[in-house]
């Protein structure tokens, strides 16, 4: 990581960590599975952040990838929260 680089995961990293910890503590496989799903969201949010920063700094315009990435986030959130409702 460069000195002024910021890793932003949109809270997905925190959700994943909490679900993983309490899933292990209480032996809840559903929470552990949801943890894995939300961890995938963290990676995609990082990609979104990188695309936006690259665009704003004039480095590269890959903003055409954003709609697909946001769709993936929507799918991850839907899958994760449906799993938690069980």
């Amino acid at each position: 990581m460069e000195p002024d680089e910021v890793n932003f995961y949109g809270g997905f990293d925190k959700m994943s960590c909490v679900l993983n910890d309490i899933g292990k503590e209480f032996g809840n496989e559903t929470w552990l599975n949801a943890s894995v799903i939300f961890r995938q969201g963290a990676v995609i949010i990082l990609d979104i952040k990188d695309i936006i920063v690259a665009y704003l700094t004039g480095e590269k315009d890959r903003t055409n990838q954003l709609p697909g990435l946001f769709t993936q986030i929507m799918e991850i959130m839907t899958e994760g929260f449906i799993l938690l409702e069980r």
Side-chain angles (χ1 to χ4, degrees):
M1 180 162 73
E2 294 183 28
D4 57 353
E5 185 175 327
V6 175
N7 286 328
F8 176 72
Y9 301 101
F12 283 91
D13 55 328
K14 293 175 180 73
M15 287 189 291
S16 176
C17 185
V18 168
L19 287 167
N20 185 60
D21 290 349
I22 64 175
K24 285 179 181 176
E25 183 176 340
F26 293 101
N28 188 314
E29 282 297 316
T30 301
W31 293 345
L32 292 170
N33 291 336
S35 169
V36 172
I37 292 167
F38 286 120
R39 191 174 315 120
Q40 296 167 1
V43 173
I44 294 170
I45 291 292
L46 187 62
D47 289 342
I48 290 170
K49 185 270 305 179
D50 289 342
I51 288 170
I52 292 170
V53 168
Y55 175 76
L56 292 174
T57 60
E59 180 183 323
K60 190 172 187 179
D61 184 356
R62 297 182 292 137
T63 55
N64 62 325
Q65 296 175 14
L66 291 174
L69 292 170
F70 279 113
T71 298
Q72 289 178 39
I73 288 296
M74 178 193 65
E75 292 167 351
I76 286 169
M77 289 179 72
T78 300
E79 184 180 355
F81 285 116
I82 286 174
L83 192 57
L84 291 174
E85 284 184 332
R86 295 183 183 162

